[in-house]
């Protein structure tokens, strides 16, 4: 679908609209392990955004790079990319893409020993009212809260509840066993990581 959209953008001369399709393509390539192709698209996005102060496209690039880093186990790298979108624990003005990166940002924070910041990010999302927005924002927020939880029982309840919500079947990539197993792995990250800096 993203490929068809990109072809239409080229045929109909809508270059600005093509960046959304390139972002989707970069994300798919990142999670499928085609890091070179994902990085190439992220480089294009950063190059275009940097010379035009295109913040939204810059956020696309940062999110794609965060997914590449998470897939490679480079959690510090993922954290550096997600804070390009919005500082962990806040939702910056005019950074609408931050709503799509919540769980990736929470995971990066948890896996780098920044669990308190991860919990602050969940709190900020709740204060923004996302828990009341079904299906995907509410589902992702449940899973993110589970990742950030200090209590194993609470984490398990959240991970069980996240893919079971109303309308969740419309988001198959967010309700697969891989989604919950990855989330469970992140929630079990060490509470402290000696030797790692914190920001």
């Amino acid at each position: 679908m993203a490929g068809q959209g990109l072809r239409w953008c080229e045929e109909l001369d809508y270059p600005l609209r093509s960046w959304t399709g390139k972002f989707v393509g970069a994300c798919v390539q990142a999670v499928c392990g085609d890091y070179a192709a994902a990085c190439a698209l992220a480089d294009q996005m950063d190059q275009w955004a940097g010379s035009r102060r295109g913040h939204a496209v810059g956020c696309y690039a940062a999110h794609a790079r965060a997914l590449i880093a998470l897939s490679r186990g480079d959690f510090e790298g993922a954290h550096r990319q997600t804070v390009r979108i919005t500082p962990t624990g806040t939702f910056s003005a005019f950074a609408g893409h931050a709503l799509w990166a919540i769980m990736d940002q929470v995971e990066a924070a948890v896996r780098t020993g920044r669990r308190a910041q991860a919990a602050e990010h969940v709190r900020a999302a709740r204060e923004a009212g996302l828990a009341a927005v079904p299906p995907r924002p509410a589902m992702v927020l449940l899973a993110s809260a589970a990742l950030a939880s200090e209590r194993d029982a609470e984490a398990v309840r959240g991970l069980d509840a996240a893919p079971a919500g109303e309308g969740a079947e419309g988001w198959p990539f967010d309700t697969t066993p891989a989604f919950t197993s990855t989330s469970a792995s992140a929630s079990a990250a060490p509470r402290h990581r000696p030797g790692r800096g914190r920001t």
Side-chain angles (χ1 to χ4, degrees):
M1 185 179 294
Q4 180 62 61
L6 288 172
R7 286 190 290 274
W8 283 339
C9 285
E10 185 174 352
E11 290 171 10
L12 301 173
D13 194 25
Y14 283 107
L16 186 60
R17 297 296 183 186
S18 72
W19 295 113
T20 302
K22 290 179 180 180
F23 163 66
V24 172
C27 291
V28 171
Q29 288 160 347
V31 299
C32 289
D34 191 350
Y35 304 130
C39 284
L41 286 173
D43 287 345
Q44 289 179 32
M45 289 183 267
D46 269 333
Q47 184 177 14
W48 187 92
S51 61
R52 295 168 177 81
R53 297 184 180 181
H55 180 66
V57 176
C59 287
Y60 287 167
H63 195 177
R65 292 188 194 282
L67 288 175
I68 294 167
L70 287 170
S71 297
R72 285 175 159 168
D74 177 12
F75 303 122
E76 284 289 346
H79 175 72
R80 286 194 298 273
Q81 294 300 326
T82 59
V83 298
R84 286 179 55 194
I85 301 170
T86 189
T88 307
T90 67
F91 287 89
S92 300
F94 309 112
H97 191 78
L99 302 181
W100 287 94
I102 292 171
M103 190 165 173
D104 300 314
Q105 188 150 10
V106 168
E107 179 179 357
V110 169
R111 288 188 182 269
T112 55
R114 299 175 173 92
R115 196 175 291 267
Q117 289 187 26
E120 279 296 300
H121 207 62
V122 170
R123 178 196 57 76
R126 283 176 170 153
E127 288 183 354
L130 297 183
V133 183
R136 188 178 187 275
M139 178 176 63
V140 168
L141 188 52
L142 277 171
S144 297
L147 293 184
S149 177
E150 291 277 4
R151 294 182 291 276
D152 291 344
E154 181 180 322
V156 170
R157 284 196 300 272
L159 293 175
D160 285 344
E166 182 180 355
E169 67 278 0
W171 296 89
F173 292 109
D174 293 321
T175 56
T176 61
F179 167 84
T180 52
S181 64
T182 299
S183 302
S185 173
S187 70
R191 299 309 193 239
H192 302 287
R193 295 195 174 202
R196 287 188 180 269
R198 292 179 174 83
T199 58

